[in-house]
């Protein structure tokens, strides 16, 4: 542990002990975490946050759409990098490349954070977590939008692809989007393609979930993502 970080942690702990000797472990952990955050923020451009490679821009112009999640502008978010929490970091998420992009310390160029080092990030109200395949092989390694987390989980894989459109005299490149959904139950991921596949995973409470949808006027075809979130939350309540 760097000496400077050790000193910050020591001061934090001594201060906490002096002001409240009966403080519980949770408070001590929170103070220690805050001290670590202060330490890494104090490192400036030497912070491990800025150790990624330079982001490579697209070599061509897209005629329709963009490769990013919701916005092309850098928006402040939080990122968990190697277990360290960095807050209010300007970032964008390139869905095509599945890369989290930040600005360097001087805000001159863009940095591609190494995906394997990013456990999760919070951007525009969405928590993206890095998942890896299990024995079911239903998912591939990458960032997934965590829509619900309880005894079971619901995740969306936000995907964008670049397609070429041909006309009589030119080729244009456009973005097409799609979302793929997965439920994690009993440690296994299940692909959710439609209403039937979701109810198959929740089959022990199928009738109750259907009735809950009906009572709350939720139509799967009209709002599939909302219907999935409502279903898994209610299923968790029923099975507690």
């Amino acid at each position: 542990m760097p000496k400077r970080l050790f000193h910050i942690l020591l001061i934090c702990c001594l201060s906490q002990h002096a002001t409240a000797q009966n403080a519980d472990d949770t408070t001590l952990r929170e103070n220690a975490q805050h001290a670590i955050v202060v330490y890494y923020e104090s490192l400036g451009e030497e912070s491990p946050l800025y150790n990624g490679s330079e982001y490579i821009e697209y070599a061509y112009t897209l005629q329709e759409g963009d490769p990013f999640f919701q916005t092309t502008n850098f928006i402040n978010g939080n990122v968990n990098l190697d277990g360290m929490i960095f807050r209010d970091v300007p970032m964008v998420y390139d869905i095509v490349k599945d890369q989290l992009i930040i600005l360097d310390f001087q805000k001159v160029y863009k940095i591609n954070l190494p995906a394997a080092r990013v456990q999760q990030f919070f951007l525009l109200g969405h928590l993206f977590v890095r998942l890896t395949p299990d024995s079911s092989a239903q998912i591939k390694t990458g960032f997934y939008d965590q829509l619900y987390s309880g005894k079971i989980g619901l995740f969306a894989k936000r995907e964008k692809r670049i397609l070429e459109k041909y006309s009589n005299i030119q080729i244009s490149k456009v973005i097409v989007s799609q979302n793929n959904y997965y439920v994690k139950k009993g440690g296994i991921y299940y692909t959710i393609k439609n209403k039937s596949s979701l109810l198959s995973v929740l089959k022990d409470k199928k009738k109750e979930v259907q009735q809950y949808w009906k009572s709350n006027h939720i139509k799967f075809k009209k709002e599939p993502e909302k219907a999935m979130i409502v279903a898994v939350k209610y299923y968790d309540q029923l099975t507690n």
Side-chain angles (χ1 to χ4, degrees):
M1 179 184 292
K3 288 183 178 179
R4 188 176 178 185
L5 174 56
F6 174 78
H7 289 156
I8 292 175
L9 289 173
L10 180 61
I11 292 170
C12 173
C13 292
L14 289 175
S15 175
Q16 173 64 23
H17 180 73
T19 57
Q21 293 186 6
N22 62 344
D24 58 23
D25 291 340
T26 300
T27 302
L28 290 174
R29 284 195 298 270
E30 289 175 351
N31 285 347
Q33 179 62 46
H34 176 69
I36 293 172
V37 169
V38 170
Y39 168 72
Y40 283 116
E41 288 179 347
S42 72
L43 290 178
E45 60 185 327
E46 298 301 319
S47 168
L49 179 65
Y50 303 114
N51 286 340
S53 58
E54 185 172 358
Y55 174 66
I56 305 300
E57 301 283 357
Y58 290 85
Y60 43 79
T61 301
L62 295 169
Q63 279 69 42
E64 294 179 24
D66 64 74
F68 302 105
F69 177 67
Q70 293 193 0
T71 180
T72 59
N73 298 320
F74 280 82
I75 302 295
N76 282 1
N78 301 335
V79 57
N80 184 328
L81 183 76
D82 292 334
M84 298 172 285
I85 308 295
F86 297 90
R87 305 185 187 280
D88 298 322
V89 179
M91 61 177 67
V92 291
Y93 173 33
D94 183 332
I95 299 179
V96 172
K97 297 179 180 179
D98 202 21
Q99 294 178 346
L100 181 62
I101 314 303
I102 68 169
L103 296 172
D104 77 304
F105 183 74
Q106 302 295 338
K107 295 181 171 52
V108 174
Y109 62 90
K110 301 172 184 177
I111 295 176
N112 167 35
L113 291 182
R117 296 177 56 205
V118 179
Q119 281 77 54
Q120 62 185 40
F121 60 93
F122 187 77
L123 177 65
L124 294 166
H126 292 255
L127 177 63
F128 288 89
V129 296
R130 182 171 170 80
L131 301 181
T132 54
D134 63 359
S135 59
S136 68
Q138 294 295 301
I139 64 170
K140 60 183 180 181
T141 299
F143 295 118
Y144 290 74
D145 191 352
Q146 183 174 283
L147 302 177
Y148 179 75
S149 179
K151 287 195 301 183
I152 63 175
L154 176 64
F155 303 88
K157 184 61 178 145
R158 312 295 184 186
E159 294 189 349
K160 287 187 176 183
R161 292 179 295 129
I162 299 174
L163 294 184
E164 293 183 343
K165 280 187 175 181
Y166 297 87
S167 65
N168 293 332
I169 58 174
Q170 68 178 29
I171 301 174
S172 59
K173 296 181 183 294
V174 302
I175 292 287
V176 294
S177 305
Q178 71 177 50
N179 296 316
N180 297 313
Y181 298 93
Y182 304 88
V183 166
K184 184 179 183 181
K185 181 184 177 187
I188 302 296
Y189 291 97
Y190 298 87
T191 301
I192 307 301
K193 295 183 177 181
N194 48 41
K195 179 179 178 179
S196 296
S197 58
L198 175 63
L199 291 174
S200 178
V201 176
L202 310 179
K203 58 185 177 182
D204 52 321
K205 300 296 180 183
K206 176 180 177 179
K207 291 183 179 180
E208 292 90 335
V209 168
Q210 288 178 305
Q211 182 58 48
Y212 192 72
W213 276 337
K214 184 177 180 180
S215 299
N216 289 275
H217 309 289
I218 296 172
K219 303 291 185 181
F220 192 95
K221 286 186 178 180
K222 185 178 180 180
E223 300 177 289
E225 186 165 300
K226 178 181 178 180
M228 292 181 206
I229 295 172
V230 168
V232 296
K233 283 183 177 180
Y234 187 57
Y235 179 88
D236 240 7
Q237 294 174 19
L238 292 173
T239 55
N240 274 337

